[in-house]
Amino acid sequence: MIDLNKHKLELTYPCYWKYKIVILESINVKHISKDVFGDREHKVNESNVSKKGKFKSYNIELIVHSDDDRTELHKVLGDHKDIKMVL
């Protein structure tokens, strides 16, 4: 089995990157994207709804400018009070 932790992701920046977030169905994803990205250009598309309808997932796509930018955005999304999971 390959241990992916031993391999560094090699990307050429800037590049498009997608995050998938999972939130409660009752939360407005536009408020989250405004909190996290402000005026930074990005696209948000609904992805899936949980079987019982309690959760929704969304794909967020934007240009990241560096590895630090990409990982910081993942951290900020993960720390947001309304986001249950970031992939």
Side-chain angles (χ1 to χ4, degrees):
M1 183 188 289
I2 297 173
D3 184 357
L4 295 177
N5 292 323
K6 293 181 180 178
H7 300 281
K8 183 165 171 58
L9 185 61
E10 293 183 29
L11 297 171
T12 302
Y13 293 100
C15 66
Y16 281 97
W17 193 258
K18 279 187 184 178
Y19 300 94
K20 183 178 289 266
I21 61 169
V22 178
I23 62 175
L24 288 172
E25 177 276 328
S26 60
I27 301 296
N28 186 336
V29 73
K30 290 180 182 181
H31 294 294
I32 293 172
S33 72
K34 183 76 171 165
D35 285 349
V36 174
F37 303 109
D39 293 331
R40 187 171 177 171
E41 189 174 329
H42 63 284
K43 295 178 187 175
V44 178
N45 297 306
E46 188 173 321
S47 178
N48 290 311
V49 178
S50 66
K51 193 179 242 183
K52 295 183 180 179
K54 185 175 179 180
F55 298 99
K56 283 187 176 181
S57 64
Y58 293 87
N59 293 318
I60 300 172
E61 186 175 357
L62 70 156
I63 294 175
V64 292
H65 300 284
S66 67
D67 191 57
D68 289 340
D69 186 30
R70 181 180 59 83
T71 55
E72 179 63 21
L73 286 171
H74 188 277
K75 181 184 180 322
V76 171
L77 287 165
D79 291 344
H80 194 282
K81 66 180 177 56
D82 291 327
I83 297 176
K84 300 299 180 191
M85 185 184 307
V86 180
L87 303 171

